[in-house]
Amino acid sequence: MNIRKQASVSVAVLLLATGTALAGAGTADADAAIAAAEAARKAAAEAKFEWNTTAPLIEEAKAAAAAGDFDKAVDLATKAKFQGDAAVAQAKHEAEAWKGAVIR
Amino acid sequence: MSRFVTAALAGVILSLAGGLLATGTAMGADDAMAKGRELAFDRKKGNCLACHMIADGDLPGNLGPPLIAMKARYPDKAALRAQIWDSTVSNPRTTMPPFGKHGILSDEEIDLVTEYIYSL
Amino acid sequence: MMKRLCIGLVCILMAAGVVSAAPEDDRQAFVNYFQKRFPNVGADAWVNGVYALDKASYEQWVQIEEFPPYELALGEGEELFNTPFANGKTYADCFPNGGVGIRQTYPYFDTGLGEVVTLELAINNCRVKNGEEPLGYKKGKIAALSGYMAYTSRGKVFDIEIPDDPRAMAAYENGKKFYYSKRGQLNFSCADCHVTNAGMQVRADKLSPALGHPTHFPVYRSKWGAMGTLHRRFDGCNKQVRAKPLPAQGDEYRNLEYFMTYMSNGLEVNGPGARK
């Protein structure tokens, strides 16, 4: 990424952030939050540790975004991303921790 | 940490004020207690009764210890809150779900549940 | 010196031996744990599941078994089993001993395929080999068929083998890992409920002991109002701890069944069963 591109991205992020602060989340915020949630969910699924609460949250976030409620969409997607990340952390933790539970 | 300091300060101020303005603050505390109890009993939220005996709860489970004498068991309320937030810290193989760490309850909900459980 | 002595596979096995006990040691420890914990349960009674731990519900269950709710499914299974495929072959042609009295050897590790084969997988493999569509894996016809095949095997003793093949050992280890790993938002492992807390109450329900779990599957479960396979039950257990279930008859659940059934070696087949 060149400096000019980087600068324009920074400006865009700044504008988004300002926009969010002033007027709540916009469609771009919702899309970004949903994409991040989806990526986290996928990582959990690949680890075979996905929670069954995550995909429904993403669906709800999409529905909220479609209905124009971007604040709600971002809120739900953030929760979904949190879950995806937590499930991946759980998979990593259990990769060793399960051994401590084995009946010997 | 500052949350607890703030909460503690608020608690002191509230209890001081409570002596003077009994009605207003008492209602607030009762409300919080009622909400905490509701969350504790809700099968989709705390669902404490699944595993713990609670004085006025029907058909409690027994995977965990009865929720009695909580102030004696947890002189420090923050320790009780921490146990609800993530009990795997004190016992890595515990069966108790990490309510805060896994987002089963929000921080606000955990505050309310802690208030209620602490009263038992 | 050590290095020169151990070469290739032998070396790997020696290294593996340090971290994982042999399956037979695992099983002995498993059985000892339950017998010590529930000294009043007879060595053969674990096949009765939760009813082995609770006299009142045991008596209710014995009454239910007098007019078993799985009887219809048994009839359906027998008919399916004996009905030839379009090509004229039958299930009997796919299985040792004509498919009769063989439940106790499933699941097994197929060294040709390099994977665990459960009875339900073998049923579908048989169908596909004979040009038929595979059945769904959780309920309906597959449960009727495996239920009937279990019925013809009642009283036989589970004898799951782990062949001398590193892939078989890996399948067993993966099943064991699944069994003991905490999953889902509620952070429960299979063992949390059915080993550590077996016999305890979750509200009004008593948690059944892991030992003997697979012996009575498939089951007629009142909650379902129908028959279901072991993998259907896995599905439900995973949902209860808020984990997304993995596919029925996928690697994970087959390996899990392999481990669980190995733990129940020496117990009798008593499927199909009736459960709450």
Side-chain angles (χ1 to χ4, degrees):
Chain A
M1 196 186 276
N2 62 35
I3 292 191
R4 222 158 110 197
K5 219 171 179 180
Q6 231 168 5
S8 65
V9 168
S10 311
V11 169
V13 167
L14 202 70
L15 282 176
L16 268 176
T18 327
T20 310
L22 292 178
T27 177
D29 301 309
D31 288 349
I34 289 168
E38 187 52 30
R41 185 203 63 77
K42 233 177 128 186
E46 272 159 24
K48 314 272 185 193
F49 268 73
E50 185 180 350
W51 299 355
N52 75 345
T53 43
T54 312
L57 280 174
I58 295 174
E59 287 311 305
E60 280 181 58
K62 283 179 183 165
D69 192 343
F70 302 116
D71 283 337
K72 189 178 171 192
V74 168
D75 181 47
L76 290 165
T78 305
K79 282 194 178 114
K81 181 183 183 310
F82 170 88
Q83 291 197 0
D85 292 344
V88 169
Q90 183 185 43
K92 282 187 184 145
H93 182 261
E94 289 303 308
E96 282 301 316
W98 70 274
K99 293 174 189 164
V102 175
I103 297 296
R104 287 170 211 282
Chain B
M1 202 59 217
S2 67
R3 176 204 303 278
F4 297 126
V5 176
T6 319
L9 275 176
V12 170
I13 291 166
L14 277 178
S15 54
L16 281 175
L20 300 169
L21 300 162
T23 42
T25 50
M27 280 290 282
D30 280 355
D31 267 6
M33 199 65 82
K35 274 190 192 133
R37 183 181 183 278
E38 202 179 303
L39 287 163
F41 279 46
D42 186 334
R43 283 169 191 258
K44 299 228 178 268
K45 292 288 189 176
N47 200 15
C48 306
L49 277 169
C51 301
H52 299 276
M53 190 273 274
I54 298 176
D56 59 342
D58 289 333
L59 290 174
N62 61 3
L63 270 66
L67 299 179
I68 48 170
M70 297 312 289
K71 290 191 185 75
R73 287 166 58 198
Y74 291 91
D76 178 9
K77 198 200 281 183
L80 174 62
R81 189 185 189 280
Q83 179 70 5
I84 297 170
W85 201 86
D86 180 11
S87 67
T88 68
V89 172
S90 60
N91 170 14
R93 297 316 297 179
T94 180
T95 310
M96 179 158 157
F99 287 92
K101 187 187 174 196
H102 277 189
I104 303 162
L105 297 173
S106 69
D107 281 358
E108 296 72 30
E109 288 172 333
I110 288 188
D111 287 339
L112 292 166
V113 169
T114 305
E115 282 304 321
Y116 169 66
I117 302 294
Y118 202 60
S119 76
L120 297 172
Chain C
M1 186 65 186
M2 200 64 193
K3 223 171 193 173
R4 241 182 297 162
L5 279 176
C6 78
I7 36 166
L9 188 61
V10 181
C11 214
I12 295 166
L13 287 175
M14 283 175 73
V18 178
V19 286
S20 67
E24 197 46 28
D25 293 342
D26 285 349
R27 194 187 67 80
Q28 272 304 333
F30 209 76
V31 171
N32 290 345
Y33 168 86
F34 281 102
Q35 285 185 342
K36 215 170 185 175
R37 180 106 180 254
F38 303 98
N40 297 327
V41 177
D44 301 334
W46 298 105
V47 297
N48 297 333
V50 73
Y51 308 115
L53 305 184
D54 183 47
K55 203 155 190 227
S57 61
Y58 174 80
E59 273 151 22
Q60 273 184 349
W61 172 69
V62 167
Q63 283 196 333
I64 288 171
E65 284 276 347
E66 278 176 33
F67 300 98
Y70 48 77
E71 208 158 63
L72 268 175
L74 274 184
E76 190 198 347
E78 182 172 11
E79 198 182 322
L80 283 166
F81 187 83
N82 291 321
T83 306
F85 302 126
N87 67 3
K89 300 254 187 188
T90 65
Y91 289 104
D93 297 320
C94 294
F95 292 93
N97 200 38
V100 172
I102 57 164
R103 169 69 180 98
Q104 69 283 0
T105 59
Y106 288 83
Y108 71 95
F109 190 87
D110 188 310
T111 47
L113 295 171
E115 60 180 2
V116 171
V117 176
T118 61
L119 184 55
E120 286 81 8
L121 184 71
I123 288 171
N124 264 352
N125 285 350
C126 176
R127 292 180 61 85
V128 171
K129 197 176 92 183
N130 287 294
E132 302 285 330
E133 289 287 311
L135 301 169
Y137 274 124
K138 288 192 254 183
K139 54 187 170 182
K141 288 181 180 167
I142 199 107
L145 274 163
S146 69
Y148 169 70
M149 292 175 78
Y151 189 73
T152 68
S153 317
R154 278 192 173 181
K156 307 246 182 204
V157 170
F158 271 96
D159 184 18
I160 305 306
E161 284 177 17
I162 296 171
D164 188 11
D165 182 325
R167 297 170 304 171
M169 192 59 195
Y172 170 86
E173 280 292 324
N174 285 335
K176 180 173 157 188
K177 179 181 175 190
F178 192 107
Y179 199 83
Y180 286 105
S181 292
K182 288 174 173 286
R183 325 175 64 79
Q185 189 183 36
L186 299 185
N187 209 42
F188 280 86
S189 69
C190 308
D192 280 338
C193 286
H194 300 291
V195 177
T196 314
N197 288 295
M200 305 296 274
Q201 300 277 142
V202 174
R203 294 215 187 229
D205 293 320
K206 201 179 270 294
L207 291 167
S208 55
L211 189 57
H213 256 166
T215 65
H216 48 272
F217 273 85
V219 298
Y220 182 96
R221 195 162 179 241
S222 307
K223 195 180 159 190
W224 296 332
M227 297 284 291
T229 59
L230 184 59
H231 291 212
R232 182 180 184 186
R233 192 68 191 89
F234 290 167
D235 193 277
C237 277
N238 276 172
K239 282 181 191 154
Q240 275 178 304
V241 303
R242 300 190 189 165
K244 188 179 174 190
L246 294 165
Q249 298 299 332
D251 287 348
E252 295 82 11
Y253 281 2
R254 274 183 289 128
N255 292 341
L256 176 62
E257 183 176 341
Y258 193 41
F259 166 75
M260 284 172 63
T261 316
Y262 187 89
M263 289 299 103
S264 289
N265 261 357
L267 295 173
E268 285 185 3
V269 176
N270 62 336
R275 288 294 181 277
K276 225 171 46 164

